[in-house]
């Protein structure tokens, strides 16, 4: 598979600080993978190492089996946006892209095509310095698409975008993945990821905490079941005998922990107790994410304390 | 070498589409025009002087007056090839497009060399044309080249030194990464250091002045000059400038994180 991203024990240290700590994972084609972590978790450093901009202290990042800086004319294989402000403000959108395209043997027709694709055709010959953040993000993505690459990497692509811009990026990424490309985007916002990505890689303090799908994550952190019944006392007795812990809400609903929704339904039916509502509740992904990344932070603090 | 050729073509496109390139070229033109005016007024006072005074006139070699400024302006174009990318963060996309650092720096050096040689030759010829127009067939010492053929080595060497300055400036840019720092250092090297040298004790004054970039032109050309180096020595110092600047630039550019 030529478009797989593989990280093997990737590490970056700055003096005593370890920004990225033996990070290993794979990113597969055909889905949108989210690279998630709080600010300062090492996401950008990791992506910059994948793309040869930063040198790893140890380990290796491979794209399609090669280090990025071993690829000749890499824009044909990998497209990346690391920084929305990474164009010379004095150049026009067209000349900015034309310079990049020329270095990879890509013609001017393709430059016009990508400008059209991202909706910047009308301002192609305007200076980038006058562009809004949304326009600059689009320009960045146009640059990433120049060589029609099989791998697309985006660092915090929705930062500072308005609703329309965010929706545009989401649908663009979805269609790129649907075309079979490998799509990796980083973000510090779980809420954003939940609607955009299929898989998540969560890092905290430079370490991989979780490599899972969004659906799996939701299931795993199912917390309790909310049950509504007119005969609360009887159902409480039945459920307690099943081994559940039952508490009552102010509205008279039962909050059940320890038994899943089908078991509750079956038990109520067996006891001929009517059930008017049965709602499995999971922690919001945001909660889960905060919990996970906090654990990473605490683990870190303890580990460093031990060393002293 | 497809990859290298494409990288050079891209760098050439970059230098053409940078507004500062044209501003610095305009600076070179303005300097040349100013040099012509100074030369013109010098010749007027020469014509009004007595024959005894005329013999004491300094040589009116326009390359001495204007070329250091031309070196600064054209060198600045070379430095901006790199520093403009660091200052605007477009070094990121540039390295994503050409991730082989040495190859990218090589492409930039090629363009810096072409710009340096082309502009160096152009401005040296302009200065020479000034001199011919204004000095006519006046004799030495004011006229450095009573025969125009005498100017050929100076023009060639002046163009070569602009090329070298452009490469040195690009190397500097790769090391300091900031336009302000690169241009200040370049200005210190080609404009301030020659003045500074005058304040040193005479022995040191000559030793330092002899290895300064602007003063290498007459030493390379083997024309009349007060400096210490032979033509071969001057060639060695010139080569050392290029070697040191490009090596240091390449090490800095390829070792450090972008």
């Amino acid at each position: 598979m030529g478009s797989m991203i593989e990280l093997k024990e990737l590490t970056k240290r700055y003096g005593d600080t370890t920004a990225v700590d033996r990070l290993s994972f794979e990113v597969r084609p055909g889905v949108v993978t989210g690279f998630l972590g709080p600010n300062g978790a090492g996401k950008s450093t990791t992506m910059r190492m994948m793309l040869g901009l930063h040198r790893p202290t140890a380990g290796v990042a491979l794209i399609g089996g090669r280090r990025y800086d071993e690829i000749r004319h890499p824009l044909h294989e990998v497209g990346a946006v690391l920084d929305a402000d990474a164009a010379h403000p004095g150049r026009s959108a067209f000349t900015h892209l034309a310079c990049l395209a020329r270095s990879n043997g890509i013609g001017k027709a393709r430059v016009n095509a990508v400008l059209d694709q991202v909706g910047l055709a009308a301002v192609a010959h305007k200076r980038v310095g006058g562009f809004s953040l949304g326009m600059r993000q689009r320009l960045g993505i146009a640059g990433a698409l120049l060589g029609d690459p099989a791998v697309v990497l985006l660092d915090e692509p929705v930062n500072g975008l308005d609703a329309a811009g965010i929706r545009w990026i989401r649908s663009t990424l979805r269609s790129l993945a649907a075309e079979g490309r490998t799509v990796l985007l980083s973000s510090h916002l779980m809420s954003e990821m939940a609607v955009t990505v299929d898989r998540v890689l969560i890092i905290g303090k430079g370490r991989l905490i979780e490599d899972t799908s969004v659906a799996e994550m939701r299931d795993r952190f199912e917390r309790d079941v909310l049950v509504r019944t007119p005969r609360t006392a009887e159902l409480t007795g039945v459920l307690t005998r099943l081994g559940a812990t039952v508490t009552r809400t102010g509205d008279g609903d039962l909050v059940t922990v320890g038994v899943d929704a089908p078991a509750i339904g079956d038990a109520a039916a067996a006891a001929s107790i009517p059930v008017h509502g049965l709602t499995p509740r999971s922690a919001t992904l945001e909660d889960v994410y905060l919990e996970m990344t906090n654990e990473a932070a605490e683990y870190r603090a303890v580990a460093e304390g031990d060393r002293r | 070498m497809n990859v290298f050729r494409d990288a050079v073509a891209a760098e050439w496109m970059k230098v053409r589409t940078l507004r500062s390139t044209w501003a610095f070229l305009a600076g070179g033109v303005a300097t040349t025009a100013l040099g012509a005016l100074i030369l013109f007024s010098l010749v007027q006072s020469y014509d009004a002087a007595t024959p005894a005074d005329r013999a004491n006139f300094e040589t009116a070699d326009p390359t001495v007056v204007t070329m250091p400024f031309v070196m600064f302006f054209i060198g600045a174009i070379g430095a901006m090839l790199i520093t403009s990318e660091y200052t605007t963060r477009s070094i990121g996309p540039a390295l994503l497009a050409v991730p082989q650092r040495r190859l990218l720096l090589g492409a930039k050096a090629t363009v810096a060399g072409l710009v340096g040689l082309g502009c160096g030759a152009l401005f040296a010829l302009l200065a020479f044309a000034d001199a011919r127009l204004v000095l006519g067939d006046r004799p030495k010492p004011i006229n450095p080249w009573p025969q125009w053929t005498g100017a050929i080595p100076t023009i060639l060497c002046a163009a070569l030194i602009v090329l070298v300055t452009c490469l040195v400036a690009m190397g500097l840019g790769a090391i300091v990464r900031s336009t302000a720092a690169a241009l200040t250092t370049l200005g210190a090297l080609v404009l301030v250091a020659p003045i500074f040298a005058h304040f040193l004790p005479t022995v040191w004054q000559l030793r330092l002045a002899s290895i300064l970039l602007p003063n290498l032109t007459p030493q390379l050309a083997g024309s009349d000059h007060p400096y210490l180096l032979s033509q071969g020595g001057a060639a060695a110092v010139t080569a050392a400038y290029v070697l040191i600047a490009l090596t240091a630039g390449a090490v800095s550019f390829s070792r450090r994180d972008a």
Side-chain angles (χ1 to χ4, degrees):
Chain A
M1 183 53 71
S3 53
M4 180 99 93
I5 303 174
E6 293 166 88
L7 267 63
K8 294 173 185 163
E9 299 275 309
L10 199 66
T11 303
K12 180 73 178 182
R13 276 190 285 274
Y14 299 100
D16 288 344
T17 317
T18 304
V20 176
D21 195 2
R22 284 167 288 142
L23 206 54
S24 300
F25 60 73
E26 288 179 358
V27 182
R28 285 174 284 277
V31 292
V32 181
T33 303
F35 190 36
L36 200 58
N39 287 328
K43 302 183 297 292
S44 293
T45 307
T46 304
M47 292 184 99
R48 296 180 82 84
M49 284 194 285
M50 288 181 194
L51 296 166
L53 294 176
H54 284 195
R55 261 154 225 284
T57 310
V60 68
L62 302 176
I63 299 178
R66 282 163 303 167
R67 280 201 339 254
Y68 187 82
D69 61 7
E70 292 170 345
I71 307 174
R72 303 190 141 213
H73 286 170
L75 297 187
H76 293 282
E77 298 180 36
V78 183
V81 187
L82 294 175
D83 185 351
D85 282 328
H88 195 292
R91 288 203 182 95
S92 69
F94 180 85
T95 48
H96 167 71
L97 293 178
C99 290
L100 295 177
R102 186 64 195 86
S103 67
N104 276 244
I106 298 165
K108 290 187 175 161
R110 178 67 190 160
V111 173
N112 285 318
V114 292
L115 280 167
D116 202 38
Q117 191 179 347
V118 302
L120 290 178
V123 292
H125 296 282
K126 295 252 157 62
R127 289 207 168 114
V128 176
F131 280 18
S132 68
L133 179 58
M135 291 159 87
R136 279 178 277 147
Q137 281 284 18
R138 283 166 191 261
L139 180 61
I141 290 178
L145 298 179
L146 269 177
D148 194 20
V151 178
V152 178
L153 303 176
L154 304 165
D155 194 12
E156 301 272 1
V158 300
N159 253 11
L161 284 190
D162 59 12
I166 291 175
R167 176 170 294 183
W168 179 79
I169 292 224
R170 261 183 217 158
S171 63
T172 305
L173 294 179
R174 287 236 152 264
S175 58
L176 289 173
E179 288 161 11
R181 295 176 218 260
T182 306
V183 182
L184 178 69
L185 75 151
S186 76
S187 176
H188 61 278
L189 296 173
M190 183 72 217
S191 51
E192 174 49 40
M193 288 290 185
V195 290
T196 313
V197 309
D198 309 292
R199 290 196 70 80
V200 277
L201 299 158
I202 301 179
I203 67 167
K205 297 279 178 186
R207 293 190 173 201
L208 187 66
I209 301 173
E210 205 50 69
D211 177 356
T212 181
S213 74
V214 169
E216 241 173 63
M217 205 165 137
R218 242 189 222 116
D219 288 349
R220 185 136 50 90
F221 290 87
E222 210 169 78
R223 275 210 294 231
D224 51 28
V225 184
L226 194 69
V227 190
R228 179 165 295 167
T229 175
R231 288 150 65 181
T232 47
E234 282 170 67
L235 190 59
T236 303
V238 169
L239 294 177
T240 309
R241 278 194 291 285
L242 274 179
T245 314
V246 184
T247 50
R248 260 174 102 143
T249 68
D251 304 338
D253 295 338
L254 301 178
V255 177
T256 312
V257 180
V259 192
D260 65 1
I264 295 169
D266 290 348
S272 301
I273 300 170
V275 170
H276 293 171
L278 195 58
T279 317
R281 298 193 305 184
S282 56
T284 65
L285 287 174
E286 199 77 54
D287 291 339
V288 173
Y289 163 62
L290 285 175
E291 214 167 277
M292 285 177 164
T293 48
N294 272 339
E295 274 169 20
E298 280 161 25
Y299 167 78
R300 183 78 181 180
V302 170
E304 273 171 10
D306 284 350
R307 218 180 292 146
R308 287 196 190 100
Chain B
M1 278 281 281
N2 250 350
V3 179
F4 184 70
R5 195 197 59 208
D6 287 340
V8 171
E11 290 304 322
W12 181 249
M13 193 184 271
K14 285 182 194 173
V15 83
R16 280 194 299 115
T17 54
L18 216 52
R19 276 178 294 172
S20 58
T21 301
W22 302 100
F24 287 126
L25 273 177
V29 172
T31 301
T32 305
L34 200 65
L37 275 178
I38 294 170
L39 195 61
F40 184 69
S41 66
L42 186 74
V43 166
Q44 281 190 317
S45 64
Y46 174 85
D47 288 345
T50 62
D53 286 341
R54 284 184 181 184
N56 288 329
F57 263 73
E58 282 203 33
T59 304
D61 181 347
T63 60
V64 174
V65 183
T66 59
M67 285 319 272
F69 290 94
V70 167
M71 288 162 66
F72 174 76
F73 286 123
I74 305 307
I77 296 174
M80 292 287 283
L81 272 169
I82 288 193
T83 61
S84 77
E85 299 205 321
Y86 278 106
T87 326
T88 62
R89 289 192 275 175
S90 54
I91 188 69
L95 278 170
L96 290 181
V98 184
Q100 298 82 14
R101 307 269 178 114
R102 294 220 176 112
L103 190 144
L104 182 60
L105 195 74
K108 286 180 186 295
T110 305
V111 170
L114 287 172
V115 169
L117 189 63
C119 295
L122 173 74
F123 285 110
L125 275 172
L126 281 176
F128 165 72
D130 276 353
R132 290 303 297 171
L133 281 173
V134 178
L135 293 168
D137 50 6
R138 287 175 184 80
K140 284 197 173 196
I142 189 170
N143 192 344
W145 312 303
Q147 299 292 312
W148 69 268
T149 46
I152 293 173
T154 302
I155 293 169
L156 289 179
C157 294
L160 178 71
I161 288 296
V162 175
L163 180 159
V164 168
T165 309
C166 211
L167 290 178
V168 167
M170 192 215 68
L172 265 176
I175 296 163
V176 300
R177 295 183 168 194
S178 128
T179 301
L183 295 198
T184 311
T185 314
L186 177 65
L189 201 62
V190 300
L191 298 175
V192 182
I195 300 167
F196 177 75
H198 278 291
F199 297 106
L200 292 173
T202 317
V203 180
W204 284 101
Q205 179 184 326
L206 270 183
R207 284 182 187 162
L208 177 65
S210 297
I211 58 164
L212 291 176
L213 277 169
N215 301 340
L216 285 171
T217 303
Q219 298 180 86
L220 276 174
S223 52
D224 292 341
H225 63 75
Y227 307 110
L228 304 174
L229 297 175
S230 66
Q231 276 177 290
V237 172
T238 306
Y241 267 106
V242 176
L243 200 68
I244 292 169
L246 290 187
T247 308
V251 167
S252 171
F253 194 60
S254 42
R255 294 261 168 92
R256 284 155 76 194
D257 289 341

